[in-house]
Amino acid sequence: MKISIIGNGNVGSALAERLSRLDHEVTVADSKTDPATVAEAVAAADAVILAVTFPAVAELDARVKAATVGKIVIDATNPLAADFMSLTLGYTTSAGEQNAATLTGARLVKAFNTVFAGNLANAQLGGTSQFLPIAGDGTEAKQLVLKLGEELGFDAVDVGALACARYTEPAVELLIQTAFGAGLGPGIGYLLARG
């Protein structure tokens, strides 16, 4: 599969490495990449991953936004405050819903936003696959993202419509508070128990 990743920080680079090892054709763009080049990569991709800050999505070049029309866009953003210790919005909307409105015509799916970047390199914690909630409104788009999550070794679960991003985004803030506020460190993540 051709995958274009917008963002080359901790999340983007970790996903690029893992997906490349699975023989996907991955291109990565960052803020220094020419917007026309980014738009071309997005237009040629089967799927696009947003691995930038939430505010950076609204600031994408118009050519890049236009290239997402009809594309499966995987949104790994979270509406984090500058100090990462709170959210800038939630409960009545989400970064996922706002990004879908910004990228009009894209088939946006929320995923990978509840896993710390350092834990993307290995989907297992304590011998168990990390829970990867996937939210979106399109069945075909969600199926593709579920398949990618499973290929990467996560316990990928369809949690419902894109509006469910209102709950997955606060979940990552709880993880941040637990890891850094309560001192457990970044080697933690979510596991989904089944009875």
Side-chain angles (χ1 to χ4, degrees):
M1 189 182 314
K2 290 183 178 180
I3 301 172
S4 179
I5 301 177
I6 301 175
N8 196 25
N10 295 336
V11 172
S13 58
L15 286 172
E17 183 180 338
R18 293 284 320 279
L19 291 165
S20 294
R21 277 192 263 146
L22 293 172
D23 294 326
H24 293 292
E25 186 180 324
V26 179
T27 61
V28 180
D30 61 21
S31 59
K32 296 176 186 171
T33 308
D34 177 67
T37 303
V38 179
E40 287 173 12
V42 167
D46 299 306
V48 178
I49 298 175
L50 297 176
V52 294
T53 64
F54 167 56
V57 177
E59 296 168 3
L60 288 172
D61 186 90
R63 291 168 287 185
V64 176
K65 290 178 182 177
T68 65
V69 173
K71 295 289 178 184
I72 294 172
V73 175
I74 303 167
D75 179 11
T77 71
N78 283 302
L80 299 173
D83 66 357
F84 299 102
M85 299 308 282
S86 63
L87 299 176
T88 59
L89 54 86
Y91 307 114
T92 58
T93 188
S94 65
E97 291 165 283
Q98 296 295 309
N99 289 338
T102 297
L103 303 177
T104 307
R107 298 185 289 162
L108 194 131
V109 178
K110 193 78 183 184
F112 298 109
N113 65 303
T114 58
V115 179
F116 282 150
N119 296 334
L120 287 168
N122 182 356
Q124 300 237 326
L125 286 177
T128 304
S129 294
Q130 293 177 78
F131 173 47
L132 184 69
I134 294 171
D137 295 332
T139 303
E140 180 188 351
K142 276 199 289 190
Q143 287 302 316
L144 182 140
V145 181
L146 283 163
K147 182 180 174 194
L148 274 181
E150 289 165 0
E151 280 182 31
L152 291 168
F154 291 97
D155 180 11
V157 178
D158 180 349
V159 297
L162 183 58
C164 287
R166 298 175 188 183
Y167 315 117
T168 69
E169 291 169 3
V172 81
E173 184 55 42
L174 176 61
L175 203 59
I176 290 168
Q177 292 290 335
T178 305
F180 303 104
L184 268 67
I188 63 172
Y190 288 116
L191 308 176
L192 185 62
R194 294 171 172 84

